[in-house]
Amino acid sequence: MTKSEPSKVTGNLKAAQGAVKETLGAAVGAKQMESEGKATRAEGNTELEAAKAKGYAEGAGDSLAGGLKKNVAKVTGNDKKEAEGKARQTKGDAKKAANK
């Protein structure tokens, strides 16, 4: 069985669940619960960071490819392809910004 792609949603959810379990364990003096919560929180934070890195890399690829397409189209005088390249570059820049 292969592991699913990292997800910001599930990463945040796991981190929050772990934080609650860790806090509850500390409050009632249940060291095992606290330790399990800490591990779950760390797992969630790791998944969140992996999802952000993947999104940033995808955005960088779109930004680069879009910029290249835009510049080639500008040189060749193809306004439609230039607009498509600019749109892809803008999309990539936005994806990079959302995943910093």
Coordinates of all heavy atoms in Angstrom, one line a residue:
M1 N 0.8 -1.2 0.0 CA 0.0 0.0 0.0 C 0.9 1.2 0.0 O 1.8 1.3 0.8 CB -0.9 0.0 1.2 CG -1.8 1.2 1.4 SD -2.7 1.3 2.9 CE -4.2 0.4 2.3
T2 N 0.6 2.2 -0.9 CA 1.4 3.4 -0.9 C 0.8 4.5 -0.1 O -0.4 4.6 0.1 CB 1.5 3.9 -2.4 OG1 0.2 4.2 -2.9 CG2 2.2 2.9 -3.3
K3 N 1.6 5.3 0.5 CA 1.2 6.4 1.3 C 0.6 7.5 0.4 O 1.1 7.8 -0.6 CB 2.3 6.9 2.1 CG 1.9 8.0 3.1 CD 3.0 8.4 4.0 CE 2.4 9.5 4.9 NZ 3.4 10.1 5.8
S4 N -0.5 8.1 0.9 CA -1.1 9.2 0.1 C -0.2 10.4 0.1 O 0.7 10.6 0.9 CB -2.5 9.5 0.7 OG -2.3 10.0 2.0
E5 N -0.5 11.4 -0.8 CA 0.3 12.6 -0.9 C 0.1 13.4 0.4 O -1.0 13.4 1.1 CB -0.3 13.4 -2.0 CG 0.0 12.8 -3.4 CD 1.4 12.9 -3.8 OE1 2.1 13.9 -3.6 OE2 1.9 11.8 -4.3
P6 N 1.1 14.2 0.8 CA 1.0 15.0 2.0 C -0.1 16.1 1.7 O -0.3 16.6 0.6 CB 2.3 15.7 2.1 CG 3.0 15.5 0.8 CD 2.4 14.3 0.1
S7 N -0.8 16.4 2.8 CA -2.0 17.3 2.7 C -1.9 18.3 3.8 O -1.7 18.0 5.0 CB -3.3 16.5 2.8 OG -4.4 17.4 3.1
K8 N -2.1 19.6 3.4 CA -2.2 20.7 4.5 C -3.3 20.4 5.4 O -3.2 20.6 6.6 CB -2.4 22.0 3.8 CG -1.1 22.5 3.1 CD -1.5 23.9 2.6 CE -0.3 24.5 1.8 NZ -0.7 25.9 1.3
V9 N -4.5 20.0 4.9 CA -5.7 19.8 5.7 C -5.4 18.7 6.8 O -5.6 18.9 8.0 CB -6.9 19.4 4.9 CG1 -8.1 19.1 5.7 CG2 -7.3 20.6 4.0
T10 N -4.9 17.5 6.3 CA -4.7 16.4 7.3 C -3.6 16.7 8.2 O -3.6 16.3 9.3 CB -4.5 15.0 6.6 OG1 -3.4 15.1 5.7 CG2 -5.8 14.6 5.8
G11 N -2.6 17.4 7.7 CA -1.4 17.8 8.5 C -1.9 18.7 9.7 O -1.5 18.5 10.8
N12 N -2.7 19.7 9.3 CA -3.2 20.6 10.4 C -4.1 19.9 11.3 O -4.1 20.1 12.5 CB -4.0 21.8 9.7 CG -3.0 22.9 9.3 OD1 -2.1 23.3 10.0 ND2 -3.3 23.5 8.1
L13 N -4.9 19.0 10.8 CA -5.9 18.2 11.7 C -5.1 17.3 12.6 O -5.4 17.3 13.8 CB -6.8 17.4 10.8 CG -7.9 16.5 11.5 CD1 -8.8 17.5 12.3 CD2 -8.7 15.7 10.5
K14 N -4.1 16.6 12.1 CA -3.3 15.8 13.0 C -2.6 16.6 14.1 O -2.5 16.2 15.2 CB -2.2 15.0 12.2 CG -2.8 13.8 11.5 CD -1.6 13.1 10.7 CE -2.2 12.1 9.8 NZ -1.1 11.5 9.0
A15 N -2.0 17.7 13.7 CA -1.3 18.6 14.6 C -2.2 19.1 15.7 O -1.9 19.1 16.9 CB -0.6 19.8 13.9
A16 N -3.4 19.5 15.3 CA -4.4 20.0 16.3 C -4.8 18.8 17.2 O -4.9 19.0 18.5 CB -5.6 20.6 15.6
Q17 N -5.1 17.7 16.7 CA -5.5 16.5 17.5 C -4.4 16.2 18.5 O -4.7 15.9 19.7 CB -5.8 15.3 16.7 CG -7.1 15.4 15.9 CD -7.3 14.3 14.9 OE1 -6.3 13.7 14.4 NE2 -8.5 14.0 14.5
G18 N -3.2 16.2 18.0 CA -2.0 15.9 18.9 C -1.9 16.9 20.0 O -1.6 16.6 21.1
A19 N -2.1 18.2 19.6 CA -1.9 19.3 20.6 C -3.0 19.1 21.7 O -2.7 19.3 22.9 CB -2.0 20.6 20.0
V20 N -4.2 18.8 21.3 CA -5.3 18.6 22.3 C -4.9 17.4 23.2 O -5.0 17.5 24.5 CB -6.6 18.4 21.6 CG1 -7.7 17.9 22.6 CG2 -7.1 19.6 21.0
K21 N -4.5 16.3 22.6 CA -4.2 15.1 23.4 C -3.0 15.4 24.3 O -3.0 15.0 25.5 CB -3.9 13.9 22.5 CG -3.8 12.6 23.1 CD -3.7 11.5 22.1 CE -3.7 10.1 22.8 NZ -3.7 9.0 21.8
E22 N -2.0 16.1 23.8 CA -0.8 16.4 24.6 C -1.2 17.3 25.8 O -0.8 17.0 27.0 CB 0.2 17.1 23.8 CG 1.5 17.5 24.5 CD 2.4 18.2 23.5 OE1 2.1 18.5 22.4 OE2 3.6 18.5 24.0
T23 N -2.0 18.3 25.6 CA -2.4 19.2 26.6 C -3.3 18.5 27.7 O -3.1 18.7 28.9 CB -3.2 20.4 26.0 OG1 -2.4 21.1 25.1 CG2 -3.6 21.4 27.1
L24 N -4.2 17.7 27.2 CA -5.1 16.9 28.1 C -4.3 16.0 29.0 O -4.5 15.9 30.2 CB -6.2 16.2 27.3 CG -7.2 15.4 28.1 CD1 -8.0 16.4 29.1 CD2 -8.2 14.7 27.2
G25 N -3.3 15.3 28.3 CA -2.5 14.4 29.1 C -1.7 15.1 30.1 O -1.5 14.6 31.3
A26 N -1.1 16.3 29.8 CA -0.4 17.0 30.8 C -1.3 17.5 31.9 O -0.8 17.5 33.1 CB 0.3 18.2 30.1
A27 N -2.5 17.9 31.6 CA -3.4 18.4 32.6 C -3.8 17.4 33.6 O -4.0 17.7 34.8 CB -4.6 19.0 31.9
V28 N -4.0 16.1 33.1 CA -4.4 15.1 34.1 C -3.3 14.2 34.6 O -3.5 13.2 35.3 CB -5.5 14.2 33.4 CG1 -6.8 15.0 33.1 CG2 -5.0 13.4 32.2
G29 N -2.1 14.5 34.1 CA -0.9 13.8 34.6 C -0.8 12.4 33.9 O -0.1 11.5 34.5
A30 N -1.3 12.3 32.7 CA -1.2 11.0 32.0 C 0.0 11.1 31.0 O -0.2 11.6 29.9 CB -2.5 10.7 31.2
K31 N 1.2 10.7 31.4 CA 2.4 10.9 30.7 C 2.3 10.2 29.3 O 2.8 10.7 28.3 CB 3.6 10.4 31.5 CG 3.9 11.2 32.7 CD 4.3 12.6 32.3 CE 4.6 13.4 33.6 NZ 4.8 14.8 33.3
Q32 N 1.7 9.0 29.3 CA 1.6 8.3 28.0 C 0.8 9.0 27.0 O 1.1 9.2 25.8 CB 1.1 6.9 28.2 CG 1.1 6.1 26.9 CD 0.7 4.6 27.0 OE1 0.5 4.1 28.1 NE2 0.5 3.9 25.9
M33 N -0.4 9.5 27.5 CA -1.3 10.3 26.6 C -0.6 11.6 26.1 O -0.6 11.9 24.9 CB -2.6 10.7 27.3 CG -3.5 11.5 26.5 SD -4.9 12.1 27.4 CE -6.0 10.7 27.4
E34 N 0.2 12.2 27.0 CA 0.9 13.4 26.7 C 1.9 13.1 25.6 O 2.1 13.8 24.6 CB 1.6 14.0 27.9 CG 2.3 15.3 27.7 CD 2.9 15.9 28.9 OE1 2.8 15.3 30.0 OE2 3.6 16.9 28.8
S35 N 2.7 12.0 25.8 CA 3.7 11.6 24.8 C 3.1 11.3 23.5 O 3.6 11.6 22.4 CB 4.4 10.4 25.4 OG 5.4 10.0 24.5
E36 N 2.0 10.5 23.5 CA 1.3 10.2 22.2 C 0.8 11.4 21.5 O 0.9 11.5 20.3 CB 0.1 9.3 22.5 CG 0.5 7.8 22.9 CD -0.6 7.0 23.4 OE1 -1.8 7.5 23.4 OE2 -0.4 5.8 23.7
G37 N 0.3 12.4 22.2 CA -0.2 13.6 21.7 C 1.0 14.4 21.0 O 0.8 15.0 19.9
K38 N 2.1 14.4 21.7 CA 3.3 15.1 21.2 C 3.7 14.5 19.9 O 4.1 15.2 18.9 CB 4.4 15.1 22.2 CG 5.6 15.9 21.9 CD 6.6 15.8 23.0 CE 6.9 17.2 23.5 NZ 7.9 17.2 24.6
A39 N 3.7 13.2 19.8 CA 4.1 12.5 18.6 C 3.1 12.7 17.5 O 3.6 13.0 16.3 CB 4.2 11.0 18.9
T40 N 1.9 12.7 17.8 CA 0.8 13.0 16.7 C 1.0 14.4 16.2 O 0.9 14.7 15.0 CB -0.6 12.8 17.3 OG1 -0.7 11.4 17.7 CG2 -1.6 13.0 16.2
R41 N 1.2 15.4 17.1 CA 1.4 16.8 16.7 C 2.6 16.9 15.8 O 2.5 17.6 14.8 CB 1.5 17.7 18.0 CG 1.7 19.1 17.6 CD 1.6 20.1 18.8 NE 2.5 19.7 19.9 CZ 3.8 20.0 20.0 NH1 4.3 20.7 19.1 NH2 4.5 19.6 21.1
A42 N 3.7 16.3 16.2 CA 4.9 16.3 15.3 C 4.7 15.7 13.9 O 5.1 16.2 12.9 CB 6.1 15.6 16.0
E43 N 3.9 14.6 13.9 CA 3.6 13.9 12.6 C 2.8 14.9 11.8 O 3.0 15.0 10.6 CB 2.8 12.6 12.9 CG 2.4 11.9 11.7 CD 1.6 10.6 12.0 OE1 1.7 10.1 13.2 OE2 0.9 10.2 11.1
G44 N 1.8 15.5 12.4 CA 1.0 16.5 11.6 C 1.8 17.7 11.1 O 1.6 18.1 9.9
N45 N 2.6 18.2 11.9 CA 3.5 19.3 11.5 C 4.4 18.9 10.3 O 4.6 19.7 9.4 CB 4.3 19.9 12.7 CG 3.4 20.7 13.6 OD1 2.4 21.2 13.2 ND2 3.8 20.8 14.9
T46 N 4.9 17.7 10.4 CA 5.8 17.2 9.3 C 5.0 17.1 8.0 O 5.5 17.4 7.0 CB 6.4 15.8 9.8 OG1 7.2 16.0 10.9 CG2 7.3 15.2 8.7
E47 N 3.8 16.5 8.1 CA 3.0 16.4 6.9 C 2.6 17.8 6.3 O 2.7 18.0 5.1 CB 1.7 15.6 7.2 CG 0.9 15.4 6.0 CD -0.3 14.5 6.1 OE1 -0.4 13.8 7.2 OE2 -1.1 14.4 5.2
L48 N 2.3 18.7 7.2 CA 2.0 20.1 6.7 C 3.2 20.7 6.0 O 3.0 21.2 4.9 CB 1.6 20.9 7.9 CG 1.4 22.4 7.7 CD1 0.3 22.6 6.7 CD2 1.1 23.2 9.0
E49 N 4.4 20.6 6.6 CA 5.6 21.1 5.9 C 5.9 20.4 4.6 O 6.3 21.1 3.6 CB 6.8 21.1 6.9 CG 6.7 22.0 8.0 CD 6.4 23.5 7.6 OE1 7.1 24.0 6.7 OE2 5.5 24.1 8.2
A50 N 5.7 19.1 4.5 CA 5.9 18.4 3.3 C 4.9 18.8 2.2 O 5.3 19.0 1.0 CB 5.7 16.9 3.5
A51 N 3.6 19.1 2.6 CA 2.6 19.5 1.6 C 3.0 20.9 1.1 O 2.8 21.2 -0.1 CB 1.2 19.5 2.3
K52 N 3.5 21.8 2.0 CA 3.9 23.1 1.6 C 5.1 23.1 0.7 O 5.1 23.8 -0.3 CB 4.2 24.0 2.9 CG 2.9 24.4 3.6 CD 3.2 25.0 5.0 CE 4.1 26.2 5.0 NZ 4.2 26.8 6.3
A53 N 6.0 22.2 0.9 CA 7.2 22.1 0.1 C 6.8 21.6 -1.3 O 7.3 22.1 -2.3 CB 8.2 21.2 0.7
K54 N 5.9 20.7 -1.4 CA 5.4 20.1 -2.6 C 4.7 21.2 -3.4 O 4.9 21.4 -4.6 CB 4.5 18.9 -2.4 CG 4.0 18.3 -3.7 CD 3.1 17.1 -3.3 CE 2.6 16.3 -4.5 NZ 1.6 17.1 -5.3
G55 N 3.8 22.0 -2.8 CA 3.1 23.0 -3.4 C 4.0 24.1 -3.9 O 3.8 24.7 -5.0
Y56 N 5.0 24.5 -3.1 CA 6.0 25.5 -3.5 C 6.7 25.1 -4.8 O 6.9 25.8 -5.7 CB 6.9 25.8 -2.4 CG 7.8 27.0 -2.7 CD1 7.4 28.3 -2.4 CD2 9.0 26.9 -3.3 CE1 8.2 29.4 -2.7 CE2 9.8 27.9 -3.7 CZ 9.4 29.2 -3.3 OH 10.2 30.3 -3.6
A57 N 7.2 23.8 -4.8 CA 7.9 23.3 -5.9 C 7.0 23.3 -7.2 O 7.5 23.6 -8.3 CB 8.4 21.9 -5.7
E58 N 5.8 22.9 -7.1 CA 4.9 22.9 -8.2 C 4.7 24.3 -8.7 O 4.7 24.6 -9.9 CB 3.5 22.3 -7.8 CG 3.6 20.8 -7.6 CD 2.3 20.3 -7.0 OE1 1.4 21.0 -6.7 OE2 2.2 19.0 -6.9
G59 N 4.6 25.3 -7.8 CA 4.4 26.7 -8.2 C 5.6 27.2 -8.9 O 5.5 28.0 -9.9
A60 N 6.8 26.8 -8.4 CA 8.1 27.3 -9.0 C 8.2 26.7 -10.5 O 8.6 27.4 -11.4 CB 9.3 26.8 -8.2
G61 N 7.7 25.5 -10.6 CA 7.7 24.9 -12.0 C 6.8 25.6 -12.9 O 7.2 26.0 -14.1
D62 N 5.6 25.9 -12.4 CA 4.6 26.7 -13.3 C 5.2 28.1 -13.6 O 5.0 28.6 -14.7 CB 3.3 26.8 -12.6 CG 2.4 25.6 -12.7 OD1 2.7 24.7 -13.6 OD2 1.5 25.4 -11.9
S63 N 5.8 28.7 -12.6 CA 6.3 30.1 -12.8 C 7.4 30.1 -13.8 O 7.4 30.9 -14.7 CB 6.8 30.6 -11.4 OG 7.3 31.9 -11.6
L64 N 8.3 29.1 -13.7 CA 9.4 29.1 -14.7 C 8.9 28.7 -16.1 O 9.3 29.4 -17.1 CB 10.4 28.0 -14.2 CG 11.6 27.8 -15.1 CD1 12.5 29.1 -15.1 CD2 12.4 26.6 -14.6
A65 N 8.0 27.7 -16.2 CA 7.5 27.4 -17.5 C 6.7 28.5 -18.1 O 6.8 28.8 -19.4 CB 6.7 26.1 -17.4
G66 N 5.9 29.2 -17.3 CA 5.1 30.3 -17.8 C 5.9 31.4 -18.3 O 5.7 32.0 -19.3
G67 N 7.0 31.7 -17.5 CA 7.9 32.8 -17.9 C 8.6 32.5 -19.2 O 8.7 33.4 -20.1
L68 N 9.0 31.3 -19.4 CA 9.7 30.9 -20.6 C 8.7 31.0 -21.8 O 9.1 31.6 -22.8 CB 10.2 29.4 -20.5 CG 10.9 28.9 -21.7 CD1 12.2 29.7 -22.0 CD2 11.3 27.4 -21.4
K69 N 7.5 30.5 -21.6 CA 6.5 30.5 -22.7 C 6.2 32.0 -23.1 O 6.1 32.4 -24.2 CB 5.3 29.8 -22.3 CG 4.2 29.7 -23.4 CD 3.0 28.9 -22.9 CE 2.0 28.7 -24.0 NZ 0.9 27.8 -23.6
K70 N 6.1 32.8 -22.0 CA 5.8 34.2 -22.2 C 6.9 34.9 -23.0 O 6.6 35.6 -24.0 CB 5.6 34.9 -20.9 CG 5.3 36.4 -21.0 CD 5.3 37.1 -19.6 CE 6.7 37.2 -19.1 NZ 6.8 38.0 -17.9
N71 N 8.1 34.7 -22.6 CA 9.2 35.3 -23.3 C 9.5 34.9 -24.7 O 9.8 35.7 -25.6 CB 10.5 35.2 -22.5 CG 10.4 36.0 -21.2 OD1 9.8 37.0 -21.1 ND2 11.1 35.5 -20.1
V72 N 9.3 33.6 -25.0 CA 9.4 33.0 -26.3 C 8.3 33.6 -27.2 O 8.6 34.1 -28.3 CB 9.4 31.5 -26.3 CG1 9.3 31.0 -27.8 CG2 10.7 30.9 -25.7
A73 N 7.1 33.7 -26.7 CA 6.0 34.2 -27.5 C 6.2 35.7 -27.7 O 5.8 36.2 -28.8 CB 4.7 34.0 -26.7
K74 N 6.8 36.4 -26.8 CA 7.0 37.8 -27.0 C 8.0 38.1 -28.1 O 7.8 38.9 -29.0 CB 7.6 38.5 -25.7 CG 7.7 39.9 -25.7 CD 8.0 40.5 -24.3 CE 7.8 42.0 -24.3 NZ 7.9 42.5 -23.0
V75 N 9.1 37.2 -28.2 CA 10.1 37.3 -29.2 C 9.5 37.0 -30.6 O 9.8 37.6 -31.6 CB 11.3 36.4 -28.9 CG1 12.2 36.3 -30.1 CG2 12.0 37.0 -27.7
T76 N 8.6 36.0 -30.6 CA 8.0 35.6 -31.9 C 6.8 36.4 -32.3 O 6.2 36.2 -33.3 CB 7.6 34.1 -31.8 OG1 6.7 33.8 -30.8 CG2 8.9 33.2 -31.6
G77 N 6.3 37.2 -31.4 CA 5.1 38.1 -31.7 C 3.8 37.4 -31.5 O 2.8 37.8 -32.1
N78 N 3.7 36.3 -30.8 CA 2.5 35.6 -30.6 C 1.8 36.1 -29.3 O 2.1 35.6 -28.2 CB 2.8 34.1 -30.5 CG 1.5 33.3 -30.6 OD1 0.5 33.7 -30.1 ND2 1.6 32.0 -31.1
D79 N 0.9 37.0 -29.5 CA 0.2 37.6 -28.3 C -0.6 36.6 -27.5 O -0.6 36.7 -26.2 CB -0.7 38.8 -28.7 CG 0.1 40.0 -29.3 OD1 1.3 40.1 -29.0 OD2 -0.5 40.8 -30.0
K80 N -1.2 35.7 -28.1 CA -2.1 34.7 -27.4 C -1.2 33.8 -26.5 O -1.5 33.6 -25.3 CB -2.8 33.9 -28.4 CG -3.7 32.8 -27.7 CD -4.5 32.0 -28.7 CE -5.3 31.0 -27.9 NZ -5.4 29.7 -28.6
K81 N -0.1 33.3 -27.1 CA 0.8 32.5 -26.3 C 1.5 33.3 -25.2 O 1.7 32.8 -24.1 CB 1.9 31.8 -27.2 CG 1.3 30.8 -28.2 CD 0.9 29.6 -27.5 CE 0.4 28.5 -28.5 NZ -0.2 27.4 -27.9
E82 N 1.8 34.5 -25.5 CA 2.4 35.4 -24.4 C 1.4 35.5 -23.2 O 1.8 35.4 -22.1 CB 2.7 36.8 -25.0 CG 3.5 37.7 -24.1 CD 3.8 39.0 -24.7 OE1 3.7 39.2 -25.9 OE2 4.3 39.9 -23.9
A83 N 0.2 35.7 -23.5 CA -0.8 35.9 -22.5 C -1.0 34.6 -21.7 O -1.1 34.6 -20.4 CB -2.2 36.3 -23.0
E84 N -1.0 33.4 -22.4 CA -1.0 32.1 -21.7 C 0.2 31.9 -20.8 O 0.0 31.5 -19.7 CB -1.1 31.0 -22.7 CG -2.4 30.9 -23.5 CD -2.3 29.9 -24.7 OE1 -1.3 29.3 -24.9 OE2 -3.4 29.8 -25.4
G85 N 1.3 32.3 -21.3 CA 2.5 32.2 -20.5 C 2.5 33.1 -19.2 O 2.9 32.6 -18.1
K86 N 2.0 34.3 -19.4 CA 1.9 35.2 -18.3 C 0.9 34.7 -17.2 O 1.2 34.7 -16.0 CB 1.5 36.6 -18.7 CG 1.4 37.6 -17.6 CD 1.5 39.0 -18.1 CE 1.4 40.0 -17.0 NZ 2.3 39.9 -16.0
A87 N -0.2 34.1 -17.7 CA -1.2 33.5 -16.8 C -0.6 32.4 -16.0 O -0.8 32.3 -14.8 CB -2.4 33.1 -17.6
R88 N 0.2 31.5 -16.7 CA 0.8 30.4 -16.0 C 1.8 30.8 -15.0 O 1.9 30.3 -13.9 CB 1.3 29.4 -17.0 CG 1.9 28.1 -16.3 CD 2.3 27.1 -17.3 NE 2.8 25.9 -16.6 CZ 3.3 24.9 -17.2 NH1 3.4 24.8 -18.5 NH2 3.8 23.8 -16.5
Q89 N 2.6 31.8 -15.4 CA 3.6 32.4 -14.5 C 2.9 33.0 -13.2 O 3.4 32.8 -12.1 CB 4.4 33.4 -15.2 CG 5.6 34.0 -14.4 CD 6.4 35.0 -15.2 OE1 5.9 35.7 -16.1 NE2 7.6 35.1 -14.8
T90 N 1.9 33.7 -13.4 CA 1.1 34.3 -12.3 C 0.6 33.3 -11.4 O 0.6 33.4 -10.2 CB 0.0 35.3 -12.9 OG1 0.6 36.3 -13.7 CG2 -0.7 35.9 -11.7
K91 N 0.0 32.2 -12.0 CA -0.5 31.1 -11.2 C 0.6 30.5 -10.4 O 0.4 30.2 -9.2 CB -1.2 30.1 -12.1 CG -1.7 28.8 -11.4 CD -2.2 27.8 -12.5 CE -2.4 26.5 -11.8 NZ -2.7 25.4 -12.8
G92 N 1.7 30.3 -11.0 CA 2.8 29.7 -10.3 C 3.3 30.6 -9.1 O 3.6 30.1 -8.0
D93 N 3.4 31.9 -9.4 CA 3.8 32.8 -8.3 C 2.9 32.8 -7.2 O 3.3 32.8 -6.0 CB 4.0 34.2 -8.9 CG 5.1 34.4 -9.9 OD1 6.0 33.5 -9.9 OD2 5.1 35.4 -10.6
A94 N 1.6 32.7 -7.5 CA 0.6 32.7 -6.4 C 0.7 31.4 -5.6 O 0.6 31.4 -4.4 CB -0.8 32.8 -7.0
K95 N 0.9 30.3 -6.3 CA 1.1 29.0 -5.6 C 2.3 29.0 -4.7 O 2.3 28.5 -3.6 CB 1.1 27.8 -6.6 CG 0.9 26.5 -6.0 CD 0.6 25.4 -7.0 CE 0.2 24.2 -6.3 NZ -0.2 23.1 -7.3
K96 N 3.4 29.6 -5.2 CA 4.6 29.7 -4.3 C 4.3 30.5 -3.1 O 4.7 30.1 -2.0 CB 5.7 30.3 -5.1 CG 6.4 29.4 -6.1 CD 7.6 30.0 -6.8 CE 7.8 31.4 -6.9 NZ 8.9 31.9 -7.7
A97 N 3.6 31.7 -3.3 CA 3.3 32.5 -2.1 C 2.4 31.8 -1.1 O 2.6 32.1 0.1 CB 2.7 33.8 -2.6
A98 N 1.5 31.0 -1.6 CA 0.6 30.3 -0.7 C 1.3 29.2 0.1 O 0.7 28.7 1.1 CB -0.6 29.8 -1.5
N99 N 2.5 28.8 -0.3 CA 3.1 27.7 0.3 C 4.5 28.0 0.9 O 5.3 27.1 1.0 CB 3.3 26.5 -0.7 CG 2.0 25.9 -1.1 OD1 1.5 25.2 -0.2 ND2 1.4 26.2 -2.2
K100 N 4.7 29.3 1.3 CA 5.9 29.7 1.9 C 6.0 29.1 3.3 O 5.0 28.9 4.0 CB 6.1 31.2 1.9 CG 6.5 31.7 0.6 CD 6.8 33.1 0.7 CE 7.4 33.6 -0.6 NZ 7.8 35.0 -0.6

